[in-house]
Each structure stands twice: as structure tokens, then as C-alpha cells.
Amino acid sequence: MNKLLLILILTFSFQSLVKADDIRDFEIEGMSIGDSLLNYYSEEEINNATDESYKDRLFITKTMWTKNYNLYDIVQLTYKKSDEKKNLHTIVGVIDFPNNINKCKKEMKKIVSELSLLFPFATKKDWGKYDMSEGHYFPVTFDFKDSSRAMVACFDWNKKSGIKDNLKVSLYTAEYRKYLKKQKQ
């Protein structure tokens, strides 16, 4: 029953935006790229959230566990440290699939299909399997003309990592993507 409910919610939430050609037209838990984080969370909630930022702290990434979300188990949100309004540069919705990567991939396939309809003007790429130190993941990206990106990926974590397998639906601004590239160099 929960699975059917999740599928229906995902389907109807994606259909609310008929054909988007700008990543800011897409929402995760009601939040869009460019929105102020302060519209959704208090300073206290933001300060108490788990911080997963890079050492240079140019961008701040917070993992929010504080609300009962409609679709996602957690949401990760990124803003520039220097931005008093805390306008969002990334929004990542995470759904846990503990030890069930096949179920994750099945849901991912449905979401990718919906996003393909929603983002007909974006360049879609299925990257296949990517290895990482604590497992592997299967990303599919949608790149926009302004270099912003939407990504759907299943993460298959090894047991040693202690992280549950999960599905992530991610939105990134062009500026944050450029920043990430510099972090990996």
C-alpha cells in the first residue's frame, strides 16, 4: 500500500508542471531552486541541522530531518554562506531503500520517465554504474541550457559504510555545479 501511495504522489507531483525548461520550475517538498531557505525553516532549525559542507565553507549544505515530508525521508539543502537570505543552490530529496537496490532502481526508472516528459528540452544522460569508495551509484542527469542540472540516482552502499541504500532526486544550479568541479580537482 505504501508503495502504491508513493508512486501516485510522485506521478501527480511531477504532472503538476507540464513541461519545464528551467530547473527553478521544479519543486522538491514544495521548495525550488532560488527560494530562500528561511521561507521553510527557522534560523534555529537551520543551525541545528546536520552540516555536510566542504572545508572552505563557501557553500553550506544542511541535511534536514526536522519535518515530516510528503515524499522524502530527508532533504539536503545548499546555500551560499555569504547569502543572508540563504537562497537555495541545491535541493536533494532522499528516499531510503534499506538493502533493496532493485526496488530503488525500479522507482528510479519511473521518476526518470516522468522527468523525461517534464524536461523535454534538457539533455538527458544515463551514466550507468559509477564506483565510489563505499559502494556504487547509477546516475541519470538532465542538463539545462544554463548549465543547471537535475539528477536521479540510486546509491548502493556497502555494509561497512553504515549508510542505507537510497534514491536521490537532486537539483543543482550552474554556479554550484561549477563549485563542485573545483572541489574535485
Side-chain angles (χ1 to χ4, degrees), residues 78-134:
T78 303
Y79 58 92
K80 276 185 131 173
K81 182 180 181 181
S82 62
D83 181 4
E84 289 180 19
K85 292 181 181 180
K86 295 180 173 41
N87 291 325
L88 296 172
H89 281 264
T90 71
I91 306 170
V92 179
V94 182
I95 303 171
D96 289 330
F97 286 91
N99 300 315
N100 200 340
I101 197 66
N102 290 330
K103 185 176 179 184
C104 183
K105 286 180 175 179
K106 191 174 181 181
E107 292 301 318
M108 178 182 156
K109 187 175 180 179
K110 292 175 189 173
I111 294 170
V112 167
S113 178
E114 290 290 333
L115 290 180
S116 295
L117 295 173
L118 182 63
F119 300 139
F121 306 110
T123 303
K124 176 184 162 187
K125 182 173 180 180
D126 185 335
W127 295 81
K129 181 180 176 182
Y130 263 70
D131 290 326
M132 53 188 181
S133 61
E134 296 180 318

Side-chain angles (χ1 to χ4, degrees), residues 2-16:
N2 287 340
K3 181 179 173 184
L4 177 61
L5 181 61
L6 177 64
I7 292 168
L8 288 172
I9 291 171
L10 285 172
T11 300
F12 290 123
S13 68
F14 290 138
Q15 287 178 353
S16 66

Side-chain angles (χ1 to χ4, degrees), residues 14-26:
F14 290 138
Q15 287 178 353
S16 66
L17 301 166
V18 177
K19 288 194 177 166
D21 60 357
D22 188 323
I23 200 161
R24 293 171 294 183
D25 294 335
F26 188 72

